[in-house]
Amino acid sequence: RRSSDLNMRVAYFPYKGLNFEDAQVISESAAKRLSSEHMYQHELEVTPKHKVGLNSHINMFPSTYDKKTLARMDNKGIIRAGETVEFGQPLILAAKERDRSQNKIHKKRQPGYADESVVWKHHDPGVVTDVVWGKNGPVVLVKSVSQMQVGDKMSGRYGDKGVVAAIIPDAQMPHDKDGNPFEVLLSPDGTITRTNPSQTIEASLGKIAAVTGKPIKEIGRASCRERVYHPV
């Protein structure tokens, strides 16, 4: 979600040097409100050297995953739709035959297969929305919601942008006269050095809309695009 889609309480306030220059400080509530949805597609191209299936994977790699994790897989070794996956948990259980060199002497009990399972490698949890079988193999679709994190970038309508340097608990954020914590802290020097007074005007319009209870409309001259500032 873009920050322009939300009404957020913004203050131009230096905070412990964290919002130096273009860096920005946001509250934990703002990080949650700025969550974004992502859809991921994970698939396995099955070849004649692959073995896909729950029982075959358990026989070859009995200690890789616990019973609770394996209980969420179907007999084909595919995660069921509707399941929630955490980092490192399998989506597709698979093994692939190892390539053997003709000049290499193989031990009698050396495993002939390597674990080629497809796993969830994102730190945010995801929900499996669908499982389909494509032309070359299984495809798993996963939906994940990610909160704004330190290192992510925020931008405004007027070219103002910066990296989130810190996410502060609401109780530790500066508060307005009514006791409401600010959600975004911008450096007051950034507006001057970037010659961008428009963002301060936009912030002021938001405050006026909040006091009057009426949205304020702005018609752009060049594009005739209408912008509406709603009450906070």
Side-chain angles (χ1 to χ4, degrees), residues 76-94:
K76 296 180 180 179
I78 313 298
I79 189 76
R80 296 186 179 91
E83 295 285 354
T84 300
V85 290
E86 303 284 347
F87 179 83
Q89 293 184 339
L91 301 174
I92 304 171
L93 296 176

Side-chain angles (χ1 to χ4, degrees), residues 107-181:
K107 296 181 180 179
K108 183 177 181 180
R109 296 184 179 181
Q110 184 178 3
Y113 286 84
D115 191 349
E116 291 286 328
S117 298
V118 178
V119 300
W120 180 250
K121 294 184 178 180
H122 304 277
H123 291 282
D124 293 306
V127 178
V128 180
T129 59
D130 200 5
V131 177
V132 297
W133 283 81
K135 181 179 179 180
N136 299 320
V139 179
V140 179
L141 302 177
V142 184
K143 177 181 177 180
S144 179
V145 177
S146 300
Q147 292 186 13
M148 180 71 77
Q149 300 177 4
V150 172
D152 290 343
K153 181 172 287 188
M154 292 179 59
S155 62
R157 273 188 272 250
Y158 302 102
D160 47 311
K161 58 184 180 296
V163 174
V164 176
I167 299 176
I168 307 300
D170 291 11
Q172 298 179 17
M173 289 287 283
H175 289 59
D176 61 18
K177 63 180 181 179
D178 298 321
N180 299 314

Side-chain angles (χ1 to χ4, degrees), residues 1-218:
R1 299 178 66 180
R2 298 171 300 168
S3 58
S4 59
D5 296 331
L6 302 174
N7 296 309
M8 310 192 78
R9 289 184 294 275
V10 179
Y12 293 87
F13 184 86
Y15 187 82
K16 301 180 180 180
L18 293 174
N19 55 348
F20 177 71
E21 291 187 346
D22 289 340
Q24 302 174 0
V25 174
I26 65 175
S27 67
E28 288 184 344
S29 295
K32 293 178 181 179
R33 294 178 63 195
L34 290 167
S35 297
S36 57
E37 295 182 353
H38 304 266
M39 289 297 299
Y40 296 94
Q41 177 175 309
H42 296 267
E43 56 188 301
L44 175 68
E45 184 176 351
V46 179
T47 68
K49 291 187 175 183
H50 281 90
K51 281 190 176 182
V52 180
L54 178 62
N55 292 332
S56 62
H57 193 276
I58 293 176
N59 291 334
M60 287 185 284
F61 313 102
S63 60
T64 302
Y65 301 109
D66 56 28
K67 292 182 179 180
K68 184 178 180 181
T69 300
L70 295 174
R72 305 186 309 153
M73 318 294 289
D74 62 18
N75 291 333
K76 296 180 180 179
I78 313 298
I79 189 76
R80 296 186 179 91
E83 295 285 354
T84 300
V85 290
E86 303 284 347
F87 179 83
Q89 293 184 339
L91 301 174
I92 304 171
L93 296 176
K96 185 178 181 180
E97 184 179 349
R98 296 179 185 273
D99 294 327
R100 297 176 179 270
S101 173
Q102 296 180 354
N103 298 327
K104 183 178 179 180
I105 299 176
H106 302 286
K107 296 181 180 179
K108 183 177 181 180
R109 296 184 179 181
Q110 184 178 3
Y113 286 84
D115 191 349
E116 291 286 328
S117 298
V118 178
V119 300
W120 180 250
K121 294 184 178 180
H122 304 277
H123 291 282
D124 293 306
V127 178
V128 180
T129 59
D130 200 5
V131 177
V132 297
W133 283 81
K135 181 179 179 180
N136 299 320
V139 179
V140 179
L141 302 177
V142 184
K143 177 181 177 180
S144 179
V145 177
S146 300
Q147 292 186 13
M148 180 71 77
Q149 300 177 4
V150 172
D152 290 343
K153 181 172 287 188
M154 292 179 59
S155 62
R157 273 188 272 250
Y158 302 102
D160 47 311
K161 58 184 180 296
V163 174
V164 176
I167 299 176
I168 307 300
D170 291 11
Q172 298 179 17
M173 289 287 283
H175 289 59
D176 61 18
K177 63 180 181 179
D178 298 321
N180 299 314
F182 290 108
E183 295 174 290
V184 180
L185 300 180
L186 301 177
S187 171
D189 293 334
T191 304
I192 301 172
T193 58
R194 297 297 182 266
T195 62
N196 191 9
S198 299
Q199 59 173 284
T200 58
I201 296 174
E202 181 182 34
S204 299
L205 289 174
K207 292 181 181 296
I208 295 173
V211 172
T212 62
K214 299 179 180 180
I216 299 175
K217 297 181 180 181
E218 175 196 4

